[in-house]
Amino acid sequence: MSGMAFLPSPVVVRVPATSANLGPGFDALGLALTLYDVVEARVTGGGVSVEVSGEGAGDLPSDESHLVVRAMRRAFEVLGERPAGLALRCRNGIPQARGLGSSSAAIVAGIVLARGLVTDGAARMDDAAALVLADAIEGHPDNVAPCLLGGFTIAWTGERGASAVRREPDPRIRPVVFVPEERGLTETARAALPKTVPHADAAFNAGRAALLVHALTGDPDRLFAATEDRLHQDYRADGMPFTADLVARLRGEGVAAVVSGAGPSVLAFGVDGRTPPPVPGWRVLPLDVDVVGARLGGAA
Ligand code: HSE
């Protein structure tokens, strides 16, 4: 490590919440939302400190085990640098463990902060490499891709890791997120999935996922049909019956509603001012699509 490797001043990143799957696009499709964590990091002479305010304050660790710190360490390894110490301040707006990409936001924040703290970090790690690393830490690319790139993303994994393309979502689309009190673990929700699925269900989802790309990027009237899924939501319903009930109820009213990521939040699409009705007992967040993704700079 050279003494000139790091910026002397703190860097700040803003990272968006994300909703993955969007119904049929399991582990592939994702949308960035206008709800954010903001994290400031600086290199210090030694030790690690993490201050958390907002969502997760009091629950999240304040040492090396904090996910932002772990992601920073992995990114510094790739960049070939080792800071003596780190100090972080996290102002979290993304509800934790609700299927809104809080862990992906922490991972992307850590990678972008590490890259921003190294003087020529952006030249040494481009967004494609950052996405590969983020996916390697998270285990699936459908939240980290929209978190990093913003907008609507289609992600896939090949021999060299994750890749993604970003598409501009139709501006008439208004995502509304319903957030329950209950938390959910992605590992538990993934464990509920079968090892194999009927060919007819795979074919059903392939058609719906293709239609969803069309609907989200210019034909939102097709969103209701495009958000049908047979690959994950029903298998997970027993683990979050209140979520399955809300999705069924909204869909019964003609609203294109899906489980957000692995749940238990629900994502519904409003179009042209027709927003879904409020639901008692759920925190209802009318949002927009974030079109920027992870953004370095600004104030903590
Ligand atoms: N595609 C992932 C899953 C998203 O459904 O398990 C987790 O947020």
Side-chain angles (χ1 to χ4, degrees):
M1 170 190 132
S2 98
M4 302 300 287
F6 299 106
L7 294 195
S9 49
V11 294
V12 178
V13 70
R14 188 187 76 168
V15 280
T18 49
S19 187
N21 300 330
L22 310 178
F26 182 75
D27 274 2
L29 304 184
L31 197 63
L33 303 169
T34 52
L35 182 66
Y36 302 96
D37 287 350
V38 178
V39 187
E40 179 192 275
R42 64 190 167 84
V43 172
T44 65
V48 168
S49 69
V50 184
E51 277 175 46
V52 179
S53 61
E55 300 285 342
D59 297 335
L60 293 170
S62 55
D63 57 13
E64 283 287 345
S65 64
H66 192 286
L67 188 51
V68 175
V69 179
R70 286 194 275 140
M72 289 183 84
R73 295 290 190 206
R74 292 280 296 269
F76 283 131
E77 259 170 46
V78 172
L79 292 163
E81 302 292 346
R82 180 181 272 271
L86 291 169
L88 264 63
R89 281 173 34 199
C90 308
R91 191 152 51 77
N92 291 347
I94 306 174
Q96 304 271 310
R98 302 299 208 300
L100 293 171
S102 59
S103 62
S104 286
I107 290 165
V108 170
I111 293 170
V112 173
L113 286 169
R115 185 171 74 173
L117 280 168
V118 172
T119 44
D120 59 348
R124 289 198 238 165
M125 186 193 285
D126 61 12
D127 275 353
L131 178 65
V132 168
L133 178 59
D135 167 63
I137 299 171
E138 179 71 303
H140 46 86
D142 48 342
N143 288 105
V144 290
C147 184
L148 185 66
L149 305 175
F152 165 49
T153 53
I154 306 163
W156 68 99
T157 311
E159 279 175 12
R160 294 183 178 181
S163 303
V165 290
R166 180 190 186 288
R167 299 291 306 268
E168 214 55 59
D170 190 296
R172 288 169 288 180
I173 288 168
R174 295 275 173 273
V176 179
V177 172
F178 297 81
V179 186
E181 275 298 312
E182 292 81 354
R183 291 170 170 236
L185 285 178
T186 298
E187 303 91 273
T188 312
R190 290 181 89 80
L193 300 177
K195 295 235 178 313
T196 59
V197 295
H199 190 277
D201 289 353
F204 179 97
N205 265 55
R208 295 309 196 280
L211 180 62
L212 183 52
V213 174
H214 167 80
L216 276 175
T217 55
D219 193 1
D221 286 343
R222 303 276 185 200
L223 277 169
F224 190 80
T227 47
E228 288 183 295
D229 158 66
R230 289 191 188 163
L231 289 189
H232 69 104
Q233 295 184 157
D234 285 351
Y235 296 111
R236 291 169 158 176
D238 284 350
M240 43 183 155
F242 47 93
T243 298
D245 284 353
L246 180 57
V247 169
R249 195 165 121 201
L250 289 169
R251 292 191 74 86
E253 291 166 12
V255 175
V258 296
V259 177
S260 181
S265 292
V266 170
L267 170 72
F269 290 104
V271 175
D272 276 344
R274 282 179 280 127
T275 49
V279 179
W282 292 70
R283 192 152 40 124
V284 184
L285 307 177
L287 301 170
D288 275 315
V289 179
D290 166 273
V291 293
V292 178
R295 194 189 66 184
L296 207 55

